[in-house]
Amino acid sequence: MIGFNVPPYVGTEFEYIRKAVENRKICGDGEFTKKCNSWIEDRFHAQKVLLTTSGTTALDMAMILCDLKPGDEVILPSYTFSSTATAAVLVGAKLVFVDIRPDTMNIDETKIEAAITRKTRVIIAVHYAGVACEMDTIMDIARRHNLKVVEDAAQGVMSTYKGRALGTIGDFGCYSFHETKNYSMGEGGALVINNSAYNEKAEILREKGTNRAKFFRGQVDKYTWVDFGDSYLPSELNAAYLWAQLEKADMINEDRLDSWNAYYAAFKVLQEENLVKLPSVPEGCIHNAHMFYIKCKDLNERTRFIAYMKANDVQTVFHYIPLHSAPAGLKFGRFFGEDIFTTKESERLVRLPLYYGLKEEDRNKIIALVLKFYSQKGEK
Ligand SMILES: *Cc1c(COP(=O)(O)O)cnc(C)c1O
């Protein structure tokens, strides 16, 4: 069986975890957490980065820092993972779902402005598959309406939009280092803070409401409880695993891109024959090969495709059930305007195995199967 995902492992992880253990510092904010934070700051030109326990808690932190009042509204796509929405629910916001564009599966920036009301406070831009949303337009709308922008860049680590790293463009950016993402620490994530006015508040929020970070820097002589907080520090053991990955970030990225490009080249012919739709990457965007998907004709064909691949020992998966039609989505939100693409396009999409170290022979087997599935279809 060729599985859908294998967590990234480059070989130095155990050495670094051992080092963390030998450092006698296994809680948060030790050597490896600091190394990861600085690496991300330097590489992505980010003002400040804080590792978190997950992409979800990075989103939670971002939403708390946006300082919403109950009843305020947050604009987001319905085609996303539950974490995007649940962070907004945490702060009492009403969810306003906006349709996606079919080419990138990202929020349709041309439909955002009409969804803004007096209560709108935040736009969450989800960079699906590591391909950027149309950020110039989104930032311009936010500026004109005095809204905050949170980038859900869980899938977008190492991607750029017009030369800028995803996560560093809005007010806050959120990364995930879950085992299904390009770089991993098991469970983990990071918050990118793009406005230094939020640095101290974020540190306090992350450190159980205390000013401990300031204390460790010697800026206060004792630390105390100063505000609302929670616990968002990952363990050094997890950060050590991530550090091994970040050191090899380019190698991982190139390996993934090789697989992505091989899939794309092989299936171009299917797109030319109008049998499938392939991902598209707008000009000015550089992606990180987080995901390779094809879009079948419809739900029926996708169901047959997944069964066919499974019968041939290849695991392929679909996602997401649009949030506005999920039980919690109905409870916490509403869809603005017409659902032209969200449901229809989500029902067509299927993801192929793509992970660091995917063997060429496995990739070739997958490619041959997909081509076979569609050639058999043509003969009927
Ligand atoms: C993975 C993911 C998250 C959540 O990240 P976790 O680290 O699993 O909590 C949030 N949003 C999107 C779009 C994701 O893909």
Side-chain angles (χ1 to χ4, degrees), residues 319-334:
H319 72 178
Y320 307 101
I321 307 289
L323 297 183
H324 74 281
S325 51
L330 294 168
K331 189 160 136 195
F332 297 117
R334 64 186 163 84

Side-chain angles (χ1 to χ4, degrees), residues 195-209:
N195 176 346
S196 61
Y198 288 94
N199 289 1
E200 196 178 327
K201 242 181 135 54
E203 283 177 345
I204 291 165
L205 172 62
R206 182 167 167 270
E207 273 273 27
K208 301 98 185 166

